[in-house]
Amino acid sequence: MLKKLVQFAKSQPQAAYACFTHGVRHKFTYFMRTLDISSYMGPLDKIITHELIPTIFGCPVSPIHRELMSLPLKNGGMGMPQLEYLAKREHAASLLVTRGLVNSMKGKSLAATDTESTEELQDMLKQRVLE
């Protein structure tokens, strides 16, 4: 899918960018949230970094610029995330958010997340991402 987008970007870079940011990257979201696939996202990141972005912008991209491009638009980036890092974050967040429901289904507790504040969940998420 990304290879076809790279070919499309040669003639329509703006449309390819819109297609990636509004469609293609969201196709991976379900898998990132439900499976621990961060180690498998490296090849996709390489295609994005070394083929798609240079084709869209017409020049190679340094690692610093790639970091900036991964920022959301509201923070001055291009909204082209690094999928390997994003997969870790999405999976960790999914596990934390659904923990109460999973425990309830296992019969361990009825409302595990009721006693935890949002701040505690965010702190735990940060710790899991850093691991």
Side-chain angles (χ1 to χ4, degrees), residues 57-69:
F57 292 99
C59 62
V61 179
S62 71
I64 293 171
H65 288 116
R66 179 65 181 106
E67 288 283 329
L68 291 172
M69 287 181 179

Side-chain angles (χ1 to χ4, degrees), residues 1-9 16 19-20 23-29 31 44 47-48 51-52:
M1 176 182 347
L2 286 176
K3 292 282 190 180
K4 287 183 181 180
L5 193 58
V6 170
Q7 293 300 319
F8 180 64
C19 183
F20 178 79
V24 173
R25 83 169 212 196
H26 296 296
K27 285 192 170 278
F28 301 117
T29 302
F31 296 108
L44 295 176
I47 293 171
I48 293 167
E51 294 182 40
L52 182 62

Side-chain angles (χ1 to χ4, degrees), residues 10-96:
K10 291 177 181 176
S11 62
Q12 300 291 329
Q14 187 174 3
Y17 168 74
C19 183
F20 178 79
T21 58
H22 296 293
V24 173
R25 83 169 212 196
H26 296 296
K27 285 192 170 278
F28 301 117
T29 302
Y30 171 78
F31 296 108
M32 287 189 265
R33 290 181 181 169
T34 57
L35 304 169
D36 188 11
I37 60 170
S38 61
S39 60
Y40 299 104
M41 300 305 263
L44 295 176
D45 273 336
K46 286 181 182 175
I47 293 171
I48 293 167
T49 302
H50 300 294
E51 294 182 40
L52 182 62
I53 292 174
T55 303
I56 290 173
F57 292 99
C59 62
V61 179
S62 71
I64 293 171
H65 288 116
R66 179 65 181 106
E67 288 283 329
L68 291 172
M69 287 181 179
S70 70
L71 294 173
L73 293 172
K74 67 181 180 180
N75 294 341
M78 295 296 295
M80 299 182 85
Q82 294 176 323
L83 298 178
E84 195 167 359
Y85 170 76
L86 184 63
K88 290 178 186 176
R89 193 179 75 198
E90 290 287 337
H91 185 66
S94 178
L95 290 176
L96 288 173

Side-chain angles (χ1 to χ4, degrees), residues 90-110:
E90 290 287 337
H91 185 66
S94 178
L95 290 176
L96 288 173
V97 169
T98 59
R99 184 179 56 200
L101 181 60
V102 169
N103 287 338
S104 177
M105 294 169 90
K106 290 180 177 179
K108 292 184 179 178
S109 80
L110 293 175

Side-chain angles (χ1 to χ4, degrees), residues 85 88-100 103 112-131:
Y85 170 76
K88 290 178 186 176
R89 193 179 75 198
E90 290 287 337
H91 185 66
S94 178
L95 290 176
L96 288 173
V97 169
T98 59
R99 184 179 56 200
N103 287 338
T113 56
D114 288 344
T115 59
E116 295 173 344
S117 70
T118 304
E119 291 174 359
E120 290 171 346
L121 287 174
Q122 289 175 342
D123 289 340
M124 291 187 328
L125 174 61
K126 288 177 187 174
Q127 290 173 357
R128 286 197 110 162
V129 168
L130 293 175
E131 291 176 352

